[in-house]
Amino acid sequence: MKIKISRIDKTLPLPGYQTTGSVAFDLYSRIDARLKPREWKILPSNLIIEVPNGYALLIAARSSLIKKGLMKANGVGIIDQDYHGPEDEIGILLYNFSARAVKIKRGERIAQGIILPVEIAEWNEIEKIKKESRGGFGSTGH
């Protein structure tokens, strides 16, 4: 699959798959940043990506963030098919959950992305789905 991509700073690398078995590619910070304890910050990824029709780009945390005391603040980010204008650089929202300041260096890997096929739902409203419920939130853990 060929994906159209634009880098703000051409000295930083294109997203890369680190191994032959990787399904997600790494995204880098375009800037040096410092996150104070309990602070969240949007770091620019340096990328504008034109997600093809029928697909979505999901942005997730790299597992190594936890070692630094960081997490992706909004869980998984979703990049829509129409988010690729000249000002639509992908931002990575990070949160410092530690009690110390954390530094991110320009070019450091801060997230990972995966391109997945998606379907657009057409709703068919009915009166009842089925007769019985299986239980509420967290019910399968009992």
Side-chain angles (χ1 to χ4, degrees):
M1 174 186 305
K2 297 265 187 196
I3 304 289
K4 293 179 183 174
I5 189 168
S6 179
R7 289 179 288 168
I8 309 299
D9 179 346
K10 304 276 194 253
T11 65
L12 290 170
L14 286 165
Y17 294 91
Q18 296 302 311
T19 69
T20 56
S22 295
V23 297
F25 52 86
D26 288 325
L27 294 115
Y28 307 86
S29 177
R30 183 168 53 82
I31 61 170
D32 287 329
R34 182 178 180 273
L35 283 84
K36 294 182 245 174
R38 317 287 185 255
E39 179 182 29
W40 64 267
K41 192 174 281 190
I42 298 173
L43 300 184
S45 73
N46 194 46
L47 303 174
I48 299 170
I49 298 175
E50 186 175 331
V51 178
N53 287 335
Y55 291 85
L57 169 55
L58 296 157
I59 308 292
R62 294 185 76 246
S63 58
S64 62
L65 283 181
I66 197 90
K67 296 175 190 173
K68 294 187 80 129
L70 298 174
M71 62 186 278
K72 193 156 173 341
N74 59 333
V76 174
I78 299 172
I79 308 301
D80 295 312
Q81 299 165 15
D82 57 357
Y83 186 75
H84 57 263
E87 304 296 320
D88 293 339
E89 179 179 7
I90 295 169
I92 311 298
L93 181 59
L94 296 182
Y95 176 70
N96 179 359
F97 62 82
S98 76
R100 60 178 172 65
V102 176
K103 291 181 182 179
I104 298 288
K105 294 181 182 174
R106 179 184 172 281
E108 186 172 338
R109 295 180 291 169
I110 57 170
Q112 57 186 336
I114 185 168
I115 297 172
L116 296 172
V118 294
E119 295 276 343
I120 302 300
E122 289 185 38
W123 304 111
N124 179 20
E125 187 173 18
I126 59 174
E127 289 302 316
K128 284 189 176 183
I129 297 291
K130 65 180 187 178
K131 293 180 184 178
E132 297 175 17
S133 291
R134 65 159 233 207
F137 186 80
S139 66
T140 60
H142 297 320

